[in-house]
């Protein structure tokens, strides 16, 4: 068994404010988002709890941090700027890998006022540093200083035997709808990429904002081509799928070519505990590479870290994910 690789998964921290956001808060769909924040969300997410999560991450010997989106509420530029500072506190771009959530695409917003503030965190590895077979499965790389757009996904980072694949299911949606869509092009690229990564015997960790499991999500909030994604996983597999969106821990499985693929959702990392099943948490994964009769494989272990209000810090939660 080789030395373990250790990474963390955070999501849905919404630790921004809409105060002082000007008239942009009251245009189109943002009106409903602002009302939701004013009535509820501003009391449900506390930046101090996110700060505690960031402090804790720095103590855990973690090599990479994966973030599955929803850092903002209604995609105001001021929110992207605040979240950029939070990402910098979490770690440098080479250590932190981000995908956008539906709230980070709440309405159609110019990239220069939104995702480009997170360009280095959203981007995959430099194509010249990737295996050419991997690079051939990806879209055109964004220009320097430019974040990937929806049409550029999937993104890929490789660290040793760990392959981290970023998907974008985030699209602008009508009011009262928060679902997601990968689309045919992204799905086709993903299948080729997962197949080649599997042939090279890398540990494939898939990042997506929306839940992937077949049940448990109302249609208006679901991944609308989730059945197609599950079919891809059934054909070519993955070692782990990570998502956010629910603000709750979710553990599901979907069929893969040689066994079930775990699908794990993480709660918000800034929740005040507004409901008993919505504690502030993040997850830590240990990956062990093992020799098998087929030539090689991976064993995953997972830990839960949760916010403890009495100490104001994150602590180990004795719950099992895998």
């Amino acid at each position: 068994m080789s030395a373990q690789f250790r990474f963390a998964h955070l999501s849905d921290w919404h630790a921004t404010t809409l105060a002082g956001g000007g008239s942009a808060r009251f245009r189109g769909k943002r009106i409903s988002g602002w009302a939701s924040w004013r009535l509820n969300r501003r009391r449900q997410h506390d930046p101090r709890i996110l700060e505690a999560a960031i402090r804790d991450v720095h103590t855990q010997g973690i090599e990479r941090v994966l973030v599955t989106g929803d850092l903002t509420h209604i995609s105001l530029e001021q929110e992207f700027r605040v979240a950029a500072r939070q990402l910098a506190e979490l770690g440098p771009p080479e250590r932190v890998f981000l995908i956008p959530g539906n709230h980070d695409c709440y309405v159609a917003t110019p990239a220069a006022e939104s995702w480009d503030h997170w360009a280095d965190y959203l981007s995959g590895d430099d194509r010249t540093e990737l295996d050419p077979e991997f690079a051939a499965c990806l879209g055109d790389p964004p220009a320097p200083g430019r974040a990937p757009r929806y049409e550029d996904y999937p993104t890929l980072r490789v660290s040793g035997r760990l392959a981290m694949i970023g998907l974008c299911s985030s699209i602008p949606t009508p009011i009262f709808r928060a679902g997601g869509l990968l689309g045919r092009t992204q799905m086709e690229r993903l299948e080729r990429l997962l197949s080649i990564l599997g042939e090279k015997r890398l540990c494939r960790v898939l990042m997506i904002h929306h839940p992937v499991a077949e049940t448990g999500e109302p249609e208006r909030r679901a991944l609308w081509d989730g059945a197609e994604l599950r079919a891809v996983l059934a054909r070519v597999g993955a070692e782990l799928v990570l998502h956010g969106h629910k603000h709750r821990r979710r553990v599901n499985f979907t069929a893969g070519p040689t066994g079930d693929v775990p699908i794990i959702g993480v709660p918000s990392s800034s929740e005040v505990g507004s409901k008993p099943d919505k504690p502030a948490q993040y997850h830590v994964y240990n990956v062990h590479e093992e020799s098998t009769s087929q030539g090689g494989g991976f064993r995953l272990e997972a830990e839960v870290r949760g916010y403890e209000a009495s100490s104001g810090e994150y602590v180990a939660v004795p719950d099992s994910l895998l």
Side-chain angles (χ1 to χ4, degrees), residues 177-251:
R177 290 177 69 81
L181 191 73
L182 294 174
R184 178 181 296 180
T185 298
Q186 190 173 178
M187 203 84 73
E188 290 174 348
R189 290 173 180 163
L190 174 66
E191 182 160 3
R192 293 194 300 270
L193 182 60
L194 287 174
S195 179
I196 292 172
L197 290 168
E199 291 170 2
K200 301 275 188 178
R201 299 191 181 280
L202 270 67
C203 180
R204 300 160 295 175
V205 177
L206 193 60
M207 302 162 57
I208 185 169
H209 180 71
H210 289 83
V212 175
E214 185 172 1
T215 60
E217 194 71 6
E219 191 274 339
R220 70 181 184 85
R221 292 177 48 84
L223 179 65
W224 292 321
D225 48 4
E228 289 86 345
L229 177 56
R230 293 190 295 274
V232 167
L233 293 170
R235 290 191 293 269
V236 297
E239 280 59 57
L240 179 64
V241 179
L242 302 177
H243 71 83
H245 195 54
K246 293 288 291 182
H247 296 200
R248 294 169 173 84
R249 189 193 316 166
R250 289 291 184 265
V251 180

Side-chain angles (χ1 to χ4, degrees), residues 248-314:
R248 294 169 173 84
R249 189 193 316 166
R250 289 291 184 265
V251 180
N252 290 285
F253 297 87
T254 193
T258 60
D260 286 344
V261 177
I263 303 169
I264 302 183
V266 70
S268 166
S269 47
S270 70
E271 248 280 353
V272 300
S274 57
K275 294 182 180 179
D277 63 341
K278 296 177 73 173
Q281 293 180 348
Y282 76 92
H283 297 161
V284 179
Y285 294 88
N286 300 313
V287 180
H288 301 271
E289 188 174 1
E290 299 180 315
S291 297
T292 69
S293 58
Q294 288 75 39
F298 299 93
R299 178 170 59 87
L300 299 178
E301 298 173 344
E303 307 167 16
V304 179
R305 307 285 299 176
Y307 182 69
E308 181 183 71
S310 60
S311 66
E313 301 295 341
Y314 272 70

